[in-house]
């Protein structure tokens, strides 16, 4: 249940393709964040949010939204105090569904910290993280340096399809705790900027 005394953390599952590994990683980091206990945690699955390719006629900084899906997405992002983006690396960059969901909004993202969890092959999605950071900064988010990088993600997955379970090693787990600590430290500071 939501604790009104705790800030709200959205874990955004960025991959939307059927059979994705990302939803298992997102479920794991959401559970880890629940145990960490600094936040009220919500898992936001972009496959369920199901935004079309950006289709608003006006620049989102004007907040003149014309579609119900944008109003809903705006209300979802607005209620978060911090984010964890769980992103795959596609062709040495962030995947299109994540970038598309970000591009829909402006003010709703501002002055909130963002942790990044990436996964992939040998590079563990590092290039997705690096390609995403300038976009987050442009929207006045604070992308943390404490990212969680998961190389060879399939080695940590058991089961079939989207019901696979992700089991981290101790290094990944420690990295996740460090990232959540940093989110918990920065979130109240940035809240002050939003209130101002
Ligand atoms: C379109 C596409 C491009 C990919 N490009 C990369 C890449 O550049 N680097 C990498 O490490 N893995 C790459 N992969 C492999 C992904 O890391 C792997 O398929 C992972 O499971 C994708 O995340 P998802 O299952 O959550 O969608 C690519 C996969 C797809 C489908």
């Amino acid at each position: 249940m939501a604790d009104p005394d705790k800030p709200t953390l959205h874990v955004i599952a960025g991959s939307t393709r059927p059979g994705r590994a990302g939803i298992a990683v997102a479920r794991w980091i959401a559970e880890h964040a629940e145990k960490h206990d600094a936040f009220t945690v919500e898992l936001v699955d972009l496959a369920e949010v199901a935004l079309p390719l950006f289709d608003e006629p006006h620049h989102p900084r004007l907040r003149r939204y014309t579609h119900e899906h944008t109003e809903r997405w705006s209300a979802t992002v607005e209620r978060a105090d911090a984010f964890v983006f769980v992103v795959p690396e596609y062709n040495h960059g962030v995947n299109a569904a994540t970038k598309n969901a970000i591009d829909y909004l402006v003010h709703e993202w501002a002055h909130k910290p963002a942790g990044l969890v990436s996964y992939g092959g040998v590079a563990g999605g590092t290039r997705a993280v690096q390609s995403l950071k300038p976009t987050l900064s442009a929207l006045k988010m604070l992308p943390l340096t404490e990212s969680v990088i998961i190389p060879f993600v399939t080695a940590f997955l058991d089961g079939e399809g989207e019901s696979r379970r992700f089991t981290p090693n101790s290094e990944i787990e420690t990295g996740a705790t460090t990232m959540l600590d940093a989110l918990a430290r920065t979130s109240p500071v940035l809240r002050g900027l939003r209130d101002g």
Side-chain angles (χ1 to χ4, degrees):
M1 215 179 79
D3 178 342
D5 295 332
K6 287 185 193 171
T8 298
L9 175 71
H10 282 186
V11 172
I12 300 181
S15 176
T16 56
R17 71 183 185 94
R20 64 218 156 120
I23 195 65
V25 179
R27 279 196 298 259
W28 158 70
I29 192 68
E31 281 167 25
H32 193 81
E34 295 264 14
K35 287 188 209 133
H36 181 271
D37 211 26
F39 294 98
T40 295
V41 182
E42 273 183 51
L43 178 58
V44 177
D45 180 356
L46 290 189
E48 283 175 13
V49 175
L51 291 164
L53 273 180
F54 183 55
D55 61 353
E56 285 291 343
H58 310 294
H59 193 295
R61 76 186 143 76
L62 302 171
R63 292 184 99 144
R64 286 170 59 197
Y65 305 136
T66 62
H67 296 295
E68 206 200 321
H69 55 253
T70 315
E71 293 287 0
R72 262 189 279 120
W73 182 227
S74 166
T76 298
V77 174
E78 184 74 42
R79 66 172 182 266
D81 297 296
F83 305 102
V84 170
F85 288 92
V86 179
V87 289
E89 179 173 295
Y90 287 175
N91 301 314
H92 294 193
V94 76
N95 68 315
T98 301
K99 179 66 164 58
N100 184 55
I102 292 171
D103 288 341
Y104 259 90
L105 307 173
V106 171
H107 302 288
E108 296 86 336
W109 299 114
H111 305 310
K112 299 176 182 179
L116 291 143
V117 176
S118 72
Y119 54 91
V122 66
T126 320
R127 293 163 295 212
V129 164
Q130 290 311 113
S131 71
L132 185 52
K133 279 184 174 175
T135 300
L136 304 185
S137 299
L139 289 162
K140 298 192 173 73
M141 273 181 267
L142 177 67
L144 301 177
T145 48
E146 292 88 348
S147 303
V148 179
I149 305 290
I150 305 166
F152 302 117
V153 64
T154 45
F156 299 97
L157 292 170
D158 292 303
E160 289 297 320
E162 294 196 13
S163 53
R164 282 180 288 179
R165 185 155 181 89
F166 176 82
T167 309
N169 60 24
S170 61
E171 287 82 9
I172 294 171
E173 206 153 55
T174 304
T177 303
T178 304
M179 180 189 72
L180 291 164
D181 287 346
L183 283 169
R185 275 198 308 277
T186 49
S187 161
V189 179
L190 295 184
R191 158 114 252 165
L193 286 179
R194 298 209 298 285
D195 291 344

